[in-house]
Each structure stands twice: as structure tokens, then as C-alpha cells.
Amino acid sequence: MLGLNSGLLGVRRTPTTGSASGVWAPNEQSLAKRAAIWPSSGDEYFGSVSLLLHMDGSNGSTSFTDSSSNGFTITASGDAQITTTDPKFGTGCLTLDGTGDYLSTPADAAFAFGTNDFTVECWVYVNSGNSNNGLFTFGGTNTGLAVAIYQGNWTLSFAGSSGGTVGAVTTGAWQHLAVTRSGSNARMFIDGTQLGTTITDSTNLSTNQLRIGYYYDSGFAINAKVDEFRVTKGVARYTANFTAPVAAFPNG
């Protein structure tokens, strides 16, 4: 016989901070919350979020809202704009046609990681035709962290020192991409699975400006759509394989 929590009567089932599937009675939820084992709808690291772009808005809009506590003004260049066609979450996503389109933040210490931990993540839909094109870059030529596509593979670069090729690019599908550094261990994940091997890196990343859509130079712009772009300074959210997010990032 099934109980209220979709388990057998008399068989105790315990939720976790990441999952509570099934139907739970209000008193069960209350007990789990008091025991701090009920999933949270917020982000425990929100105070460390430097940038949070949901990319929502009306079709063709060039206005992008930073939902982090910083509320940075975001500048759209080229034909970078919101499209409401097939976003990953919400009402829109950033569309980039590969001809000099990109978003840029103001220069701010929130984007200078130093030698500390960090997480940069987003959802990306790569179109065909990219050969040597960048998804994002911190700073100008060879001065910060960058992620790019080179000959059909994702690559990492740290202040001009290549982190190497980490894995093949998939086109025509939304994928969650994350780059983290924990201590001196840097990793890239696609849909929660680590690509390639862990990279040893302790570069002092002092560049304080981010551009989304190219690799160090706007001549290497990507043809893609981007949704839910989040930068977390001082926290490596992922250090092993994980389940990719199933909803838009929370605002707090």
C-alpha cells in the first residue's frame, strides 16, 4: 500500500537538499525543513554571484538585465539581441550570429578572480559553422580566462596559457556548460559531465571585465544562442559530475 510520500506505508523515505520526489504531506515537509533536509528554492551562494543574466525580454531587444545583487549595466554590441525563439528557460535568450556580436560588462573587481575559486556557467546552443570562435572572454588579448571552440572542440585558456582541448562540441542542441576552479584544479563540464582531464592552473586572473560572444577579439565571434549566464566568484560549485540544472537560476 502506498503512503502519502509515494513510498510503502511503514517504510521511511528521507528527502535530501537536492531532491524530494513524490507527494509529501505538509507536516512531512515541515519536519524536513526544520531538519534542514528539504530542497531549497534559492541559491546558497547568491551572495558570491557576480553576474546573473536570464536573457529574458521581448524579441529583438538589446536590453539585458543583471539579476545579481550588483545590477550591472550590460552593453550589447553588433547585432547581439534577445530572441524569443526556442529559449532554454524563460521568455528569451541571447542570439549571436558570429559577425562581431557580443555583450560586455563594466570593469569591476567582481570579475577579477585572482588565484581563487570560481564558476562560470551558462546554457549554450551552438550553431554549425564555428571553427575558431569564443563563447566568452575575460579581458582583452590573452589576459584572462576564456572558453572557445577550436576545430570542433571546446578549449580553455588562462591568461594566454592554453588549458588545452577538453572535448568535442555538439551543435544544434541546448547544453549546460560550466567551468570551475577549485584550488589549482580547473575543470569544464557539459551537461554535468566533466570533459577531458582536470587541468592544473593557479593563474592570477586579474582582468576585471567580461565579454560574452567572442574569444579575446571580436573577429572570433561565435554563432550561437546563450541563456542563463552566471558568474560566481570565490566558489567552485562543481568539482565532480553533477546533474545539470532543470530550471532557470534563482534570484537569491
Side-chain angles (χ1 to χ4, degrees):
M1 183 175 179
L2 291 177
L4 287 175
N5 62 2
S6 298
L8 294 174
L9 283 178
V11 179
R12 179 178 176 82
R13 205 173 54 140
T14 303
T16 69
T17 56
S19 176
S21 59
V23 180
W24 297 78
N27 65 312
E28 294 174 312
Q29 295 182 39
S30 179
L31 288 170
K33 289 175 182 177
R34 286 202 294 269
I37 54 174
W38 189 256
S40 170
S41 60
D43 177 7
E44 63 179 314
Y45 301 120
F46 188 76
S48 299
V49 173
S50 298
L51 182 75
L52 176 56
L53 301 178
H54 295 301
M55 310 295 191
D56 290 336
S58 58
N59 197 57
S61 172
T62 57
S63 178
F64 294 85
T65 300
D66 173 20
S67 296
S68 78
S69 58
N70 294 311
F72 287 125
T73 298
I74 307 302
T75 301
S77 297
D79 296 323
Q81 60 187 272
I82 292 171
T83 179
T84 56
T85 301
D86 191 30
K88 177 60 182 178
F89 298 115
T91 61
C93 60
L94 167 65
T95 182
L96 306 163
D97 64 13
T99 57
D101 303 347
Y102 62 95
L103 302 183
S104 58
T105 69
D108 193 276
F111 303 112
F113 300 135
T115 57
N116 300 317
D117 296 356
F118 63 79
T119 304
V120 182
E121 60 187 313
C122 66
W123 285 87
V124 59
Y125 185 108
V126 178
N127 296 314
S128 59
N130 290 287
S131 177
N132 185 16
N133 309 90
L135 177 59
F136 65 80
T137 182
F138 287 78
T141 304
N142 296 340
T143 59
L145 171 71
V147 168
I149 296 171
Y150 180 68
Q151 296 183 349
N153 292 293
W154 289 113
T155 63
L156 271 172
S157 179
F158 303 93
S161 177
S162 176
T165 298
V166 291
V169 173
T170 296
T171 60
W174 280 109
Q175 292 188 299
H176 179 261
L177 180 148
V179 177
T180 71
R181 183 170 68 184
S182 175
S184 60
N185 295 315
R187 303 172 176 88
M188 179 185 284
F189 300 88
I190 292 291
D191 286 341
T193 300
Q194 183 173 342
L195 290 185
T197 59
T198 300
I199 299 166
T200 300
D201 174 75
S202 56
T203 304
N204 185 347
L205 298 169
S206 58
T207 299
N208 62 0
Q209 189 173 30
L210 167 66
R211 295 175 179 87
I212 302 170
Y214 71 75
Y215 175 71
Y216 290 138
D217 185 289
S218 59
F220 301 105
I222 196 170
N223 184 350
K225 293 191 292 187
V226 181
D227 208 349
E228 294 297 314
F229 198 103
R230 183 171 66 181
V231 178
T232 311
K233 179 180 178 180
V235 178
R237 291 177 181 266
Y238 318 114
T239 57
N241 291 349
F242 60 96
T243 300
V246 295
F249 296 134
N251 293 335

